[in-house]
Amino acid sequence: MSQATATSHSGRRRHDREIVALAVPAFGALVAEPLFVMVDSAIVGHLGTPQLAGLGVAAALLTTAVSIFVFLAYATTAAVARRLGAGDLASAIRQGMDGIWLALLLGIAVIAVALPSAPWLVDVFGASDTAAPYATTYLRISSLGIPAMLIVMAATGVLRGLQDTRTPLYVAIGGFAANGALNAGLVYGAGLGIAGSAWGTVIAQVGMAAAYLIVVVRGARRHGASLRPDAAGIIASAQAGVPLLVRTLSLRAVLMIATAVAARLGDTDIAAHQIILSLWTLMAFALDAIAIAGQAIIGRYLGANDTEGAREACRRMVQWGIASGVVLGALIVLARPLFIPLFTGDQGVQSTLLPALLVVAVCQPIAGVVFVLDGVLMGAGDGRYLAWAMLITLAVFAPVALLVPMYGGGLTALWWAMALMMTVRMVTLWLRTRSGRWIVTGATR
């Protein structure tokens, strides 16, 4: 084996170890998050159908509100990782504290909106007369936990930037366990009903935020980083997050359009569509874990002025994304006789679901590349390009998707439109990565 070949193999193994060390715990933490809602649903479901329906509406509102601010994690990861790569750990933690202070301010603002407007929001989401009071109760109480949820996002970004995805996994597991115990105790033991479920979740979220803050504050004191709010730093964090907010809203618009089109196709199609979206989300967690590793690793390399290391890591993660997509696609095809009956016994839904599901399977390698390159560009702090790329994708997808019912297309045609959307994303991200313009070194972009 030549020296160059040996060096190449050694580099790949190093990148593989880094990717696995960061991605596996990140995947566990990502999976733990939706389990909160599942636990709440399981416990509240035994109170009655109106309560469960109310929870469903309130949970959808809360998930939408919180997911909009996911940039708190993404932007913080990239900024902290850059400073870590530059060897300035105190500045890295200070940057993370700016993100946490921003999360607190945004959380307070959301509470100010959510508390008085809860009944109106519930009505807009179409809650029935019997479910609306429960949805309002749950939404008002749970909104009190939004600052904690956003702090968790920002603090998770801090730790990811510091190349630590294990602590978020441990906190997520602890929060999940506490949430389950508190929900059971308050709903049934204390007899608080759906309000008990909401309070249990709020307490668990506050506990998670406190755990993160303890870790971050200890790190700040150890390295002499200030904990006080810095107006300039908070404003800078907000400015860095705006392009990622545009990206996130554009992506949410894609999913909303797809669901709206599926609903127009009929009850069978929307039922099948929701099943596919559930599977899509689960697969997205696996691919997003690699993207999270990409954010942390790329940010660190660029902060250390190691452009070749950043390029090599990018290439290796793309290979990981493609391989993971192929495996996930194959699992969908091979396991479909097992999991489809778990979701529905309706033969009409099953027959509608199957061909669309095969489209999703074919798209997984493309999705793998998209998630990885998305993470690479986030790690590079290239948020402005990501925003424009997603707006272009939305502009291509929207008219194609809206034409599906007009021309008599069904769910499979809709998911081919989704495949087009992912392909456009892949092309725009690949062109940017190939250009090299994302490579900007230094402690700040």
Side-chain angles (χ1 to χ4, degrees):
M1 183 184 294
S2 68
Q3 181 66 32
T5 303
T7 302
S8 177
H9 283 304
S10 175
R12 284 199 297 270
R13 285 196 297 270
R14 184 180 75 255
H15 290 311
D16 288 346
R17 286 194 296 270
E18 284 187 325
I19 293 167
V20 170
L22 291 170
V24 172
F27 175 69
L30 288 169
V31 170
E33 291 174 10
L35 292 179
F36 271 73
V37 177
M38 290 180 63
V39 168
D40 289 1
S41 299
I43 292 174
V44 171
H46 291 285
L47 294 174
T49 300
Q51 289 90 333
L52 184 58
L55 171 65
V57 171
L61 284 163
L62 289 164
T63 300
T64 300
V66 173
S67 65
I68 289 172
F69 299 110
V70 72
F71 69 84
L72 289 166
Y74 293 159
T76 304
T77 296
V80 171
R82 273 185 176 270
R83 285 163 175 77
L84 176 69
D88 190 352
L89 193 53
S91 178
I93 296 174
R94 173 66 259 179
Q95 178 71 35
M97 286 304 305
D98 291 336
I100 290 173
W101 280 112
L102 175 62
L104 178 61
L105 293 175
L106 290 172
I108 293 171
V110 173
I111 288 178
V113 173
L115 285 179
S117 63
W120 176 79
L121 291 169
V122 166
D123 183 61
V124 168
F125 261 62
S128 66
D129 291 340
T130 54
Y134 298 109
T136 302
T137 297
Y138 191 93
L139 181 59
R140 278 181 166 159
I141 296 172
S142 292
S143 66
L144 299 176
I146 287 179
M149 295 168 72
L150 299 188
I151 287 172
V152 166
M153 274 190 182
T156 299
V158 176
L159 296 182
R160 288 173 180 170
L162 295 174
Q163 319 294 295
D164 176 9
T165 55
R166 290 183 178 273
T167 299
L169 173 61
Y170 299 147
V171 174
I173 292 172
F176 169 69
N179 182 60
L182 287 165
N183 268 260
L186 294 174
V187 171
Y188 298 114
L192 296 180
I194 196 169
S197 177
W199 280 117
T201 301
V202 169
I203 294 169
Q205 289 161 348
V206 170
M208 291 173 67
Y212 274 116
L213 289 175
I214 289 171
V215 173
V216 174
V217 168
R218 283 178 177 174
R221 288 176 174 170
R222 187 182 308 121
H223 298 284
S226 174
L227 297 172
R228 294 180 179 178
D230 175 61
I234 294 171
I235 292 171
S237 294
Q239 290 173 338
V242 169
L244 295 179
L245 175 61
V246 172
R247 168 203 167 272
T248 300
L249 290 174
S250 300
L251 184 56
R252 296 291 301 183
V254 165
L255 297 176
M256 289 175 64
I257 290 170
T259 300
V261 170
R264 291 179 62 184
L265 296 175
D267 290 347
T268 298
D269 292 83
I270 187 62
H273 178 73
Q274 289 302 117
I275 293 171
I276 294 176
L277 273 183
S278 299
L279 293 168
W280 178 278
T281 302
L282 180 61
M283 291 180 291
F285 286 144
L287 298 175
D288 202 26
I290 303 174
I292 288 168
Q295 294 171 31
I297 293 170
I298 294 298
R300 192 187 77 234
Y301 275 122
L302 293 178
N305 298 312
D306 187 352
T307 58
E308 187 54 36
R311 290 182 185 275
E312 289 178 0
C314 176
R315 284 193 291 268
R316 191 57 178 164
M317 280 184 284
V318 168
Q319 293 170 358
W320 269 80
I322 294 171
S324 299
V326 170
V327 171
L328 290 172
L331 283 175
I332 292 172
V333 174
L334 296 174
R336 67 187 189 281
L338 300 176
F339 66 76
I340 289 179
L342 295 178
F343 284 99
T344 178
D346 188 310
Q347 293 298 315
V349 174
Q350 289 186 6
S351 61
T352 302
L353 172 67
L354 186 56
L357 198 60
L358 295 178
V359 176
V360 174
V362 170
C363 288
Q364 287 311 295
I366 296 174
V369 175
V370 168
F371 274 81
V372 166
L373 294 183
D374 210 38
V376 166
L377 296 184
M378 282 185 189
D382 203 7
R384 189 181 298 274
Y385 182 83
L386 288 171
W388 280 111
M390 198 61 228
L391 286 171
I392 291 170
T393 302
L394 175 61
V396 173
F397 169 78
V400 174
L402 294 173
L403 287 173
V404 168
M406 290 178 61
Y407 284 90
L411 188 66
T412 302
L414 174 60
W415 276 93
W416 276 120
M418 291 287 284
L420 172 65
M421 179 272 294
M422 293 301 291
T423 303
V424 173
R425 288 188 72 191
M426 183 181 70
V427 170
T428 56
L429 296 175
W430 176 76
L431 288 173
R432 183 64 167 184
T433 308
R434 187 184 181 190
S435 73
R437 294 177 183 174
W438 57 280
I439 298 179
V440 178
T441 59
T444 58
R445 183 177 173 85

